[in-house]
């Protein structure tokens, strides 16, 4: 629930596709940094956030393809 609330503030709304995609790209960049792997808790939070946002993007695509 906290992640959802943060998304609403950071992304400007749950349906803000462009900022959501930008955020996914930023998370992926952070996860590619070798130094992050020393912080397991931070990795877990990033992976949860990435999965949530990726699922939203997939939902957007499914809705878009259904019209």
């Amino acid at each position: 629930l906290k992640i959802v609330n943060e998304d609403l503030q950071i992304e400007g709304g749950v349906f803000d596709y462009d900022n959501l995609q930008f955020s996914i790209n930023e998370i992926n960049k952070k996860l590619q940094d070798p130094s992050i792997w020393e912080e397991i808790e931070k990795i877990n939070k990033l992976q949860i956030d990435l999965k949530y946002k990726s699922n939203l993007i997939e939902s957007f695509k499914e809705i878009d393809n259904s019209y």
Side-chain angles (χ1 to χ4, degrees), residues 53-63:
K53 291 176 180 180
S54 295
N55 287 340
L56 277 178
I57 291 288
E58 287 305 311
S59 295
F60 294 157
K61 289 178 182 178
E62 288 175 15
I63 291 169

Side-chain angles (χ1 to χ4, degrees), residues 19-56:
N19 282 328
L20 194 57
Q21 188 61 57
F22 177 80
S23 181
I24 288 171
N25 292 339
E26 292 299 307
I27 293 169
N28 281 324
K29 286 179 189 176
K30 289 177 184 178
L31 289 172
Q32 291 175 4
D33 180 1
S35 66
I36 190 79
W37 294 99
E38 297 172 5
E39 302 177 51
I40 299 300
E41 187 174 322
K42 189 171 186 177
I43 292 169
N44 289 337
K45 288 180 182 180
L46 286 171
Q47 289 177 326
I48 289 169
D49 198 24
L50 178 62
K51 182 174 179 154
Y52 170 76
K53 291 176 180 180
S54 295
N55 287 340
L56 277 178

Side-chain angles (χ1 to χ4, degrees), residues 4-28:
V4 174
N5 289 337
E6 289 174 359
D7 286 337
L8 290 172
Q9 294 171 0
I10 294 170
E11 315 308 345
V14 174
F15 297 108
D16 190 345
Y17 183 91
D18 292 334
N19 282 328
L20 194 57
Q21 188 61 57
F22 177 80
S23 181
I24 288 171
N25 292 339
E26 292 299 307
I27 293 169
N28 281 324

